[in-house]
Amino acid sequence: MQQRNKLLVAAAFLAPAIIAVIFLRIWPATSALHESLLAPGETTYSLENYAYIFSDPVFLRSLQVTLVFLVVVAPLQIVIALALALLVNAAIPFVGLWRAIILLPVAIPQSVSAVVWGVAFRPDGPVNAVLIAMGLEPMRFLTSAEQAMGSIIVIVSWIGVGYWMTFILAGLQDIPKSLYEAVRIDGANRFQQFWYVTLPQLRRPLTFVLVANTVANFLVFAPVQILTSGGPQGSTNLIMNEIYTRAFVSGDRSSAMAATVVLVTAVLAVVLVQFRMMRSPEDKGI
Amino acid sequence: MNNNATMVRTSLTVLCAILFALPLWWVAVSALRPENDIFRYLSPLSWGTLLPLNFTLEHVVELWSGPFRLAIMNSIIVTTVTILVGLAICSAAAFALAIIDFPGRNIVFIVMVVSFLIPFDAIAVPLYQTMRNLNLQNTYTGLVLPGIGNGLAVFLLRQFFLGIPKELREAAMIDGMGWFGVFWRIYLPLSVPALISAALILFVFQWQAYLWPLLIAPAPDYKVAAVAIAQFSTQYDVNYALIFAAALFISLIPMVILTGFQRGFSASVASTGGKE
């Protein structure tokens, strides 16, 4: 009776959230899987849509662009975030203010950041003005197939590194001072202190940032859709933009659903790792 | 640390902060100067590049007479409702998952948080069709729904609830208080810091949302600010001054809120970061 009563109470508290999970995650994921297995005009399941997208050079190029983007952007952002965290992890005047300023861009909607950087990257815009003032050649940025992805990476990194810095900073502040004292007595210089104490102690926050950063960057959409629409020549066609284009520009729903399933599967794999890391060791039993 | 090292470190920090703030400063300056001045002081660079020499509030005022006003109001309404409903749903779920010892609790917790950790945008395209069939296109309900369930918020609140001594609840229940009373009168009042953090997470999600509002609310009456500014920027005769004024306004709200709660936000963000 007691057990049943508890179950009912728990169900009452959980009902809205469970309905939300089903309606907002499980149902759309299932319906994407269902539709992805139905070739256009067919009523029986087949892998035709998958065969189609995996032989479509546009989709394959988008996968390649996304993977290269992830491989570049994650280490880049983590190294910058780590450097910034090391820099602001000290008793300097107004340190809270400097940290807050570096964190600010993450608060701004990505579409706003995209629009603003789009103007900044114009051929006659301020970024080129700075390059010219430094005696360099002006660049084409978003209109060049070679530079467009680099420009997108600058934008998303300006937005994100302060956020990732926050995790690493918290990790740095958890490192016991005694560890540094111990190696200092052994005569370790600053680099050795960093290499033998800081980095090993940061293993957990750094891994977490790597995982969470990968999830976030899988979904980069607003800067691409607003600034390049995936171009020039598909050079910035990240997978989220590819799915959007298939579903709403070309109106090819079946292949958009297949691409969605590919994306959700990849993201789910990374999210499972992230979830394992979020739980503290004493939680591990469950 | 000796004085020299502190000096070097401080200068480097200030330099980095300036680099991050520069685009924002440029947005503010461009919003507060005549439109013709926006690209005027770029070559060569001069003081005019970074200071509004002909200061004007014209565009900020214009913002409130144009279609942006509606878009910003829509964003504020949608975000406020999301925070209120989201807090209710997430804290109730977190309470059950942390406090009530019912069979199957762990599996519910894992499925819920893992599902919500999948970024919403990944399944926005399949959900769009369902929502349209339910006639939720161009409604506030359609805009609000994706934001109300948030894995990080549930996770964060659950962690906090777990830390509240169970003696409090046991004593209250002996005195005849029910589960809802325990939740409402004991757990929620003791969890204000965690509720603020959860509210910030919900706020950032909804204020940032772009793909979903783009799909579900294309009608001018329901357009949110993040979508409106992107569409204005791709018009043939772009009014850059208005774009910058809008960018300033849309950014200022979250910047003020996040700066106000920065310590709490950073701490809560970090606490989901797999601390040992």
Side-chain angles (χ1 to χ4, degrees), chain A residues 167-181:
Chain A
F167 292 93
I168 301 174
L169 192 58
L172 280 176
Q173 288 165 349
D174 280 353
I175 302 177
K177 294 268 181 298
S178 56
L179 289 179
Y180 289 105
E181 280 153 23

PDB file of all heavy atoms in Angstrom, chain A residues 167-181:
ATOM      1  N   PHE A 167      33.737  26.257 -16.927  1.00  0.00           N
ATOM      2  CA  PHE A 167      33.900  24.891 -16.402  1.00  0.00           C
ATOM      3  C   PHE A 167      35.351  24.651 -15.978  1.00  0.00           C
ATOM      4  O   PHE A 167      35.626  24.051 -14.942  1.00  0.00           O
ATOM      5  CB  PHE A 167      33.541  23.860 -17.475  1.00  0.00           C
ATOM      6  CG  PHE A 167      32.088  23.826 -17.836  1.00  0.00           C
ATOM      7  CD1 PHE A 167      31.611  24.574 -18.898  1.00  0.00           C
ATOM      8  CD2 PHE A 167      31.194  23.049 -17.116  1.00  0.00           C
ATOM      9  CE1 PHE A 167      30.274  24.534 -19.240  1.00  0.00           C
ATOM     10  CE2 PHE A 167      29.865  23.007 -17.453  1.00  0.00           C
ATOM     11  CZ  PHE A 167      29.395  23.757 -18.518  1.00  0.00           C
ATOM     12  N   ILE A 168      36.287  25.081 -16.833  1.00  0.00           N
ATOM     13  CA  ILE A 168      37.694  24.805 -16.550  1.00  0.00           C
ATOM     14  C   ILE A 168      38.146  25.595 -15.325  1.00  0.00           C
ATOM     15  O   ILE A 168      38.891  25.094 -14.485  1.00  0.00           O
ATOM     16  CB  ILE A 168      38.558  25.131 -17.784  1.00  0.00           C
ATOM     17  CG1 ILE A 168      38.077  24.278 -18.972  1.00  0.00           C
ATOM     18  CG2 ILE A 168      40.027  24.875 -17.505  1.00  0.00           C
ATOM     19  CD1 ILE A 168      38.752  24.593 -20.284  1.00  0.00           C
ATOM     20  N   LEU A 169      37.647  26.833 -15.223  1.00  0.00           N
ATOM     21  CA  LEU A 169      37.987  27.672 -14.071  1.00  0.00           C
ATOM     22  C   LEU A 169      37.541  26.993 -12.770  1.00  0.00           C
ATOM     23  O   LEU A 169      38.285  26.952 -11.786  1.00  0.00           O
ATOM     24  CB  LEU A 169      37.306  29.032 -14.227  1.00  0.00           C
ATOM     25  CG  LEU A 169      37.733  30.154 -13.311  1.00  0.00           C
ATOM     26  CD1 LEU A 169      39.214  30.417 -13.440  1.00  0.00           C
ATOM     27  CD2 LEU A 169      36.947  31.422 -13.639  1.00  0.00           C
ATOM     28  N   ALA A 170      36.321  26.437 -12.782  1.00  0.00           N
ATOM     29  CA  ALA A 170      35.830  25.734 -11.590  1.00  0.00           C
ATOM     30  C   ALA A 170      36.744  24.552 -11.271  1.00  0.00           C
ATOM     31  O   ALA A 170      37.045  24.287 -10.103  1.00  0.00           O
ATOM     32  CB  ALA A 170      34.401  25.257 -11.812  1.00  0.00           C
ATOM     33  N   GLY A 171      37.209  23.861 -12.315  1.00  0.00           N
ATOM     34  CA  GLY A 171      38.126  22.742 -12.106  1.00  0.00           C
ATOM     35  C   GLY A 171      39.442  23.194 -11.509  1.00  0.00           C
ATOM     36  O   GLY A 171      39.980  22.566 -10.595  1.00  0.00           O
ATOM     37  N   LEU A 172      39.953  24.318 -12.011  1.00  0.00           N
ATOM     38  CA  LEU A 172      41.225  24.851 -11.501  1.00  0.00           C
ATOM     39  C   LEU A 172      41.116  25.184 -10.016  1.00  0.00           C
ATOM     40  O   LEU A 172      42.035  24.955  -9.233  1.00  0.00           O
ATOM     41  CB  LEU A 172      41.602  26.124 -12.259  1.00  0.00           C
ATOM     42  CG  LEU A 172      42.238  25.985 -13.631  1.00  0.00           C
ATOM     43  CD1 LEU A 172      42.439  27.351 -14.261  1.00  0.00           C
ATOM     44  CD2 LEU A 172      43.573  25.263 -13.518  1.00  0.00           C
ATOM     45  N   GLN A 173      39.947  25.747  -9.648  1.00  0.00           N
ATOM     46  CA  GLN A 173      39.792  26.183  -8.266  1.00  0.00           C
ATOM     47  C   GLN A 173      39.642  25.007  -7.305  1.00  0.00           C
ATOM     48  O   GLN A 173      39.782  25.180  -6.101  1.00  0.00           O
ATOM     49  CB  GLN A 173      38.613  27.157  -8.165  1.00  0.00           C
ATOM     50  CG  GLN A 173      39.005  28.479  -8.812  1.00  0.00           C
ATOM     51  CD  GLN A 173      37.832  29.401  -9.103  1.00  0.00           C
ATOM     52  OE1 GLN A 173      36.681  29.006  -9.020  1.00  0.00           O
ATOM     53  NE2 GLN A 173      38.135  30.640  -9.472  1.00  0.00           N
ATOM     54  N   ASP A 174      39.376  23.826  -7.855  1.00  0.00           N
ATOM     55  CA  ASP A 174      39.261  22.635  -7.011  1.00  0.00           C
ATOM     56  C   ASP A 174      40.600  21.954  -6.754  1.00  0.00           C
ATOM     57  O   ASP A 174      40.676  21.015  -5.972  1.00  0.00           O
ATOM     58  CB  ASP A 174      38.320  21.613  -7.681  1.00  0.00           C
ATOM     59  CG  ASP A 174      36.868  21.965  -7.452  1.00  0.00           C
ATOM     60  OD1 ASP A 174      36.622  22.906  -6.679  1.00  0.00           O
ATOM     61  OD2 ASP A 174      35.997  21.314  -8.048  1.00  0.00           O
ATOM     62  N   ILE A 175      41.654  22.377  -7.452  1.00  0.00           N
ATOM     63  CA  ILE A 175      42.943  21.695  -7.285  1.00  0.00           C
ATOM     64  C   ILE A 175      43.556  22.108  -5.938  1.00  0.00           C
ATOM     65  O   ILE A 175      43.722  23.302  -5.681  1.00  0.00           O
ATOM     66  CB  ILE A 175      43.913  22.056  -8.434  1.00  0.00           C
ATOM     67  CG1 ILE A 175      43.288  21.672  -9.776  1.00  0.00           C
ATOM     68  CG2 ILE A 175      45.251  21.354  -8.248  1.00  0.00           C
ATOM     69  CD1 ILE A 175      44.135  22.042 -10.973  1.00  0.00           C
ATOM     70  N   PRO A 176      43.867  21.145  -5.086  1.00  0.00           N
ATOM     71  CA  PRO A 176      44.428  21.490  -3.771  1.00  0.00           C
ATOM     72  C   PRO A 176      45.774  22.201  -3.911  1.00  0.00           C
ATOM     73  O   PRO A 176      46.637  21.758  -4.679  1.00  0.00           O
ATOM     74  CB  PRO A 176      44.615  20.125  -3.089  1.00  0.00           C
ATOM     75  CG  PRO A 176      43.816  19.159  -3.885  1.00  0.00           C
ATOM     76  CD  PRO A 176      43.738  19.698  -5.262  1.00  0.00           C
ATOM     77  N   LYS A 177      45.930  23.294  -3.178  1.00  0.00           N
ATOM     78  CA  LYS A 177      47.181  24.066  -3.231  1.00  0.00           C
ATOM     79  C   LYS A 177      48.381  23.205  -2.831  1.00  0.00           C
ATOM     80  O   LYS A 177      49.497  23.393  -3.306  1.00  0.00           O
ATOM     81  CB  LYS A 177      47.103  25.262  -2.270  1.00  0.00           C
ATOM     82  CG  LYS A 177      46.075  26.308  -2.653  1.00  0.00           C
ATOM     83  CD  LYS A 177      46.704  27.394  -3.516  1.00  0.00           C
ATOM     84  CE  LYS A 177      45.670  28.458  -3.878  1.00  0.00           C
ATOM     85  NZ  LYS A 177      44.552  27.903  -4.674  1.00  0.00           N
ATOM     86  N   SER A 178      48.122  22.229  -1.928  1.00  0.00           N
ATOM     87  CA  SER A 178      49.229  21.430  -1.398  1.00  0.00           C
ATOM     88  C   SER A 178      49.955  20.669  -2.509  1.00  0.00           C
ATOM     89  O   SER A 178      51.158  20.424  -2.416  1.00  0.00           O
ATOM     90  CB  SER A 178      48.690  20.452  -0.353  1.00  0.00           C
ATOM     91  OG  SER A 178      47.670  19.665  -0.934  1.00  0.00           O
ATOM     92  N   LEU A 179      49.216  20.319  -3.578  1.00  0.00           N
ATOM     93  CA  LEU A 179      49.865  19.590  -4.676  1.00  0.00           C
ATOM     94  C   LEU A 179      50.965  20.445  -5.307  1.00  0.00           C
ATOM     95  O   LEU A 179      52.040  19.951  -5.648  1.00  0.00           O
ATOM     96  CB  LEU A 179      48.836  19.216  -5.743  1.00  0.00           C
ATOM     97  CG  LEU A 179      47.835  18.139  -5.362  1.00  0.00           C
ATOM     98  CD1 LEU A 179      46.863  17.881  -6.498  1.00  0.00           C
ATOM     99  CD2 LEU A 179      48.570  16.851  -5.001  1.00  0.00           C
ATOM    100  N   TYR A 180      50.662  21.747  -5.473  1.00  0.00           N
ATOM    101  CA  TYR A 180      51.661  22.642  -6.070  1.00  0.00           C
ATOM    102  C   TYR A 180      52.856  22.803  -5.138  1.00  0.00           C
ATOM    103  O   TYR A 180      54.005  22.772  -5.558  1.00  0.00           O
ATOM    104  CB  TYR A 180      51.048  24.008  -6.365  1.00  0.00           C
ATOM    105  CG  TYR A 180      50.083  23.975  -7.514  1.00  0.00           C
ATOM    106  CD1 TYR A 180      48.721  24.024  -7.301  1.00  0.00           C
ATOM    107  CD2 TYR A 180      50.551  23.895  -8.833  1.00  0.00           C
ATOM    108  CE1 TYR A 180      47.830  23.981  -8.359  1.00  0.00           C
ATOM    109  CE2 TYR A 180      49.673  23.849  -9.894  1.00  0.00           C
ATOM    110  CZ  TYR A 180      48.304  23.895  -9.650  1.00  0.00           C
ATOM    111  OH  TYR A 180      47.431  23.849 -10.692  1.00  0.00           O
ATOM    112  N   GLU A 181      52.544  22.946  -3.835  1.00  0.00           N
ATOM    113  CA  GLU A 181      53.640  23.109  -2.880  1.00  0.00           C
ATOM    114  C   GLU A 181      54.562  21.896  -2.924  1.00  0.00           C
ATOM    115  O   GLU A 181      55.783  22.030  -2.905  1.00  0.00           O
ATOM    116  CB  GLU A 181      53.071  23.306  -1.460  1.00  0.00           C
ATOM    117  CG  GLU A 181      52.604  24.742  -1.223  1.00  0.00           C
ATOM    118  CD  GLU A 181      51.506  24.837  -0.180  1.00  0.00           C
ATOM    119  OE1 GLU A 181      51.403  23.921   0.659  1.00  0.00           O
ATOM    120  OE2 GLU A 181      50.738  25.831  -0.226  1.00  0.00           O
TER     121      GLU A 181
END
